[in-house]
Amino acid sequence: MDGGGGLRLNMNTLDYLILALYFVTVLGVGFAARRAIRTSVDFFLSGRSLPAWVTGLAFVSANLGALEIIGMAANGAQYGVMTVHYYWIGAVPAMVFLGIVMMPFYYGSRVRSVPEYLRLRFNRPTHLLNALSFAAAQVLIAGVNLYALALVMQALLGWPLWLAIVVGAAIVLAYITIGGLSGAIYNEVLQFFVILAGLIPVTVIGLVKVGGVAGLMDAVKGSKLGEAGLHAWQGTGSTDNPLGAHWLGIVFGLGFVLSFGYWTTNFAEVQRALSARNMSAARRTPIIAAYPKLFIPLVTIIPGLVALVTVKGLGAESGSLVYNNAIPLLMRDLLPNGVLGVAVTGLLASFMAGMAANVSGFNTVFTYDIWQAYVQRDRSDEYYLRIGRLATVGGVVVGIGTAFIAAGFSNIMNYIQALFSLFNAPLFATFIIGMFWKRMSAVAGFWSLLLGTLASLVTYLGYKFFGWFDFNSDLEESFWGAGIAFVTVAVVAAIITPLTRPKRRDELEGLVYGMANTTLADDSLAGDAAWYRSPVLLGGIAVLLAILFYLPVF
Amino acid sequence: MSEHSDRDRRQRPPHEAHDPMVEETEEERSRSAAARLFDIRRVIGGLFVAYGVIVGLIGLFDSQAEIDKAQGVRINLWAGLVMLVFGLLMLAWQRISPPEAPAPPGDDDGR
């Protein structure tokens, strides 16, 4: 493996002090959260006690992992301004939808996880299918995140890969095993700020270097992206644009099926909202998260573009000039010691945030949805708390294994991520139909999810390996695959439901639209009724801002 | 919200959940220690004050070469200052509005 010597940063003692201070703080937060854990809900859902701003920032931070920072800056350099679609249409509307429409069902039914919703709404086979695929996805993706973390530590700091993997895993393991979800969430909030503290100086100095926003725009016009690199929608009437995507694909594929699938059913995200202290806070969680999400492109895409126009030869197939190194290269070129230490800390924080989200999602689903539901019923709450801690250790160990496998076959990373993104669209379709069509039967739920997932899988494999289908790009495949899966779920549900027995009314209470939970106590706190805490209003403003943000870069 | 709030539902335990596993967990919540969780604003504030001081001090003594590397911006000084102010604001926020109420917020479901 290439050590990426060209990326090596000139870290001095003070930079390392900044990094060390962060690691110590993260571990301290884990230990300090320990005293707040007595029950399994304390461990897995922070006792459902957190305020909305904490869960909201954790919600966005859980997604600010490896892919996000490094990947979106790379996309910025490669596709230009079109990358904003991943934020403004590909995330914000789905987050708002989750808060306004879906959260009442999740939080109101008191389910402890997203798969558990499927057990109550449909049946155990549907539940087991989803619980197993989610658990497997989380440990494997945790491994991918860990590998990415180790690669950065190796390239930037010169640490050997194995050491970086073990150190990264040990820190995450320690603070989650000890501090549970509170440890994870509190650290995510801290990470959110540290990540920003690291990215903002890179962005600012980058902009100064290219002569401000105007200078950047001029330079991009003269780059290999050209004028097209500055527009989000222009040229999407065909697929002749940097992203190779038609506006229909962007709106329905990315904006609807892909992003809704990811944001609304991914338990690693939804878990943050379930840990909120009441319904109002739970609903506001993803909506509060939507606000930082609106602005994150400023500190990912702008550095990507700056790297494109200032780093000669960026965009190489391999070596240290690949697009993925856009941000590390800028850090090397522009940051003096001091802020350099903060930036490295922010980068490492982002990798750990991603991995921690996967691990804390995994231990919950493993304990509640696999162990308690199918292996050991009716044990004491202490017992499940212990299983949760063991599951955390197990999850991290498997993650380390995956990281080492990924180190051996780096393509595996891409396949793992592609593979699990296949599960999102059919899952979302099953949820949304199940939530709004109360007649949909349990049997239909199972077959819809299974056949939808298979449809998604066949589309992917048929395109990638067997040449059955032809798409312009991987991105277009994912749009179409998601759309096909969605339609499959809908059709299967429509065919099977009339032939099978419906769920009883009382079984659906609180789980389905129009079957409101009439016993749900009003859990609102003083101040929740304030107009500025209305989820609908906050969500509406977020969507409006997303639309307005598009105007200057149309 | 609508009329199907019929009799049988009234006899259920005070918790909304009607699944045995969910219910057991809900019942355990009376033992919850979540109220003992500390306030994260203190940690964020503390870390950023420390970062602000360290980076700001580095900035005071930056050499010309370092300033040139950052395109003439005294970035350490500025970043240190901003982080310091941010950290102090976090601490001040915690002072002004301390975490709500001694009652564990998890305990809000009408017990």
Side-chain angles (χ1 to χ4, degrees):
Chain A
M1 191 126 297
D2 169 28
L7 265 184
R8 182 72 50 83
L9 299 174
N10 187 17
M11 296 267 285
N12 69 14
T13 320
L14 286 168
D15 293 324
Y16 273 109
L17 174 70
I18 289 169
L19 185 61
L21 201 56
Y22 176 74
F23 282 159
V24 169
T25 311
V26 161
L27 289 174
V29 165
F31 277 103
R34 182 189 184 125
R35 59 198 289 270
I37 295 173
R38 202 181 294 142
T39 67
S40 67
V41 179
D42 290 346
F43 185 76
F44 295 119
L45 293 173
S46 299
R48 298 197 202 257
S49 68
L50 299 175
W53 73 271
V54 169
T55 52
L57 291 181
F59 189 97
V60 74
S61 203
N63 168 258
L64 274 181
L67 260 182
E68 191 60 23
I69 304 287
I70 299 282
M72 286 299 159
N75 285 345
Q78 193 170 359
Y79 306 120
V81 165
M82 288 190 89
T83 309
V84 297
H85 291 313
Y86 287 102
Y87 297 87
W88 297 341
I89 196 168
V92 169
M95 293 160 96
V96 170
F97 183 83
L98 171 64
I100 293 179
V101 179
M102 294 176 75
M103 198 50 72
F105 302 115
Y106 281 142
Y107 198 87
S109 62
R110 293 294 177 193
V111 291
R112 300 162 298 173
S113 72
V114 167
E116 190 157 80
Y117 177 88
L118 291 176
R119 183 165 63 78
L120 301 189
R121 172 61 184 86
F122 298 112
N123 53 20
R124 287 162 71 88
T126 321
H127 171 241
L128 188 60
L129 178 65
N130 178 235
L132 289 176
S133 67
F134 177 82
Q138 292 309 298
V139 285
L140 294 179
I141 295 174
V144 172
N145 267 318
L146 189 57
Y147 172 61
L149 166 84
L151 271 189
V152 170
M153 288 170 98
Q154 183 194 37
L156 300 185
L157 309 179
W159 295 22
L161 205 58
W162 68 268
L163 181 69
I165 288 178
V166 171
V167 168
I171 292 175
V172 170
L173 173 67
Y175 76 72
I176 297 184
T177 321
I178 296 166
L181 187 69
S182 305
I185 284 187
Y186 269 12
N187 275 322
E188 281 161 5
V189 176
L190 187 66
Q191 279 150 359
F192 172 78
F193 292 112
V194 175
I195 293 166
L196 286 186
L199 289 178
I200 291 173
V202 181
T203 310
V204 170
I205 301 180
L207 276 177
V208 170
K209 183 177 169 101
V210 296
V213 175
L216 179 63
M217 287 170 76
D218 282 343
V220 170
K221 277 179 200 158
S223 73
K224 56 184 157 184
L225 272 177
E227 179 73 27
L230 296 173
H231 297 284
W233 291 106
Q234 253 179 43
T236 54
S238 67
T239 52
D240 183 23
N241 53 55
L243 208 52
H246 195 274
W247 67 270
L248 276 171
I250 295 171
V251 173
F252 293 103
L254 179 64
F256 184 59
V257 183
L258 280 183
S259 85
F260 277 63
Y262 174 81
W263 290 101
T264 63
T265 62
N266 181 353
F267 179 57
E269 292 291 337
V270 175
Q271 185 176 24
R272 273 76 200 142
L274 294 186
S275 70
R277 62 185 168 193
N278 62 4
M279 174 73 92
S280 166
R283 295 183 70 192
R284 274 181 284 136
T285 296
I287 297 173
I288 288 175
Y291 284 85
K293 194 74 185 167
L294 281 167
F295 292 96
I296 290 173
L298 291 179
V299 292
T300 55
I301 299 177
I302 290 181
L305 289 174
V306 170
L308 172 74
V309 299
T310 60
V311 180
K312 281 207 177 56
L314 186 72
E317 286 288 316
S318 61
S320 54
L321 288 174
V322 293
Y323 282 120
N324 268 339
N325 285 340
I327 283 188
L329 285 164
L330 286 188
M331 285 164 46
R332 181 197 64 183
D333 291 346
L334 300 177
L335 295 186
N337 294 111
V339 281
L340 180 67
V342 179
V344 169
T345 306
L347 214 49
L348 298 189
S350 94
F351 287 101
M352 298 203 324
M355 184 189 174
N358 300 135
V359 171
S360 57
F362 165 80
N363 66 17
T364 309
V365 165
F366 179 85
T367 305
Y368 282 150
D369 293 292
I370 295 174
W371 199 260
Q372 186 186 24
Y374 300 99
V375 184
Q376 286 284 344
R377 277 285 298 270
D378 297 326
R379 302 291 290 264
S380 69
D381 193 62
E382 287 85 357
Y383 172 80
Y384 295 115
L385 175 57
R386 201 161 59 239
I387 293 294
R389 290 205 154 106
L390 291 174
T392 313
V393 178
V396 171
V397 169
V398 177
I400 293 178
T402 313
F404 278 111
I405 295 172
F409 314 87
S410 58
N411 280 333
I412 272 189
M413 278 175 48
N414 302 328
Y415 290 130
I416 287 177
Q417 280 169 340
L419 185 65
F420 288 111
S421 72
L422 299 179
F423 288 82
N424 283 334
L427 187 60
F428 169 64
T430 310
F431 266 93
I432 203 71
I433 297 173
M435 273 180 185
F436 286 91
W437 188 29
K438 59 179 173 239
R439 174 64 178 85
M440 184 175 179
S441 68
V443 179
F446 175 73
W447 288 105
S448 286
L449 183 60
L450 184 63
L451 294 176
T453 308
L454 287 178
S456 183
L457 198 65
V458 167
T459 316
Y460 176 74
L461 295 177
Y463 160 71
K464 210 71 183 175
F465 298 106
F466 304 122
W468 297 340
F469 314 103
D470 197 23
F471 297 103
N472 281 335
S473 64
D474 286 8
L475 193 71
E476 206 188 46
E477 186 283 325
S478 64
F479 293 165
W480 279 99
I484 290 168
F486 195 98
V487 171
T488 308
V489 168
V491 169
V492 171
I495 294 173
I496 296 187
T497 294
L499 306 175
T500 45
R501 201 168 52 82
K503 295 274 279 190
R504 287 200 320 272
R505 274 180 89 86
D506 61 313
E507 289 176 320
L508 293 178
E509 184 190 300
L511 297 169
V512 188
Y513 183 76
M515 305 278 283
N517 197 330
T518 45
T519 52
L520 185 64
D522 181 11
D523 60 357
S524 56
L525 300 167
D528 278 348
W531 60 270
Y532 58 85
R533 288 190 179 172
S534 151
V536 176
L537 181 79
L538 286 172
I541 296 175
V543 172
L544 189 70
L545 282 177
I547 296 169
L548 291 177
F549 282 10
Y550 267 125
L551 294 180
V553 294
F554 187 83
Chain B
M1 257 166 242
S2 58
E3 27 296 53
H4 51 72
S5 66
D6 31 349
R7 301 101 269 172
D8 65 321
R9 226 155 287 137
R10 299 261 165 73
Q11 285 129 23
R12 288 222 182 87
H15 308 289
E16 309 79 12
H18 40 82
D19 173 82
M21 280 184 260
V22 174
E23 210 130 295
E24 277 162 31
T25 320
E26 282 293 304
E27 261 144 38
E28 290 294 327
R29 283 179 63 199
S30 55
R31 296 195 303 122
S32 172
R36 298 168 65 193
L37 198 56
F38 60 97
D39 191 332
I40 187 64
R41 288 175 291 185
R42 192 178 310 168
V43 179
I44 300 171
L47 185 71
F48 272 83
V49 166
Y51 276 6
V53 170
I54 296 173
V55 175
L57 280 179
I58 298 174
L60 278 183
F61 301 104
D62 265 346
S63 68
Q64 195 55 43
E66 271 147 346
I67 296 171
D68 288 345
K69 185 180 186 191
Q71 312 299 309
V73 183
R74 299 205 65 153
I75 190 70
N76 276 330
L77 202 55
W78 284 109
L81 214 58
V82 172
M83 288 194 286
L84 182 63
V85 170
F86 174 79
L88 291 175
L89 282 177
M90 268 286 163
L91 294 175
W93 180 23
Q94 194 220 341
R95 267 285 166 87
I96 295 165
S97 80
E100 276 150 57
D107 223 46
D108 49 23
D109 43 12
R111 206 166 302 120

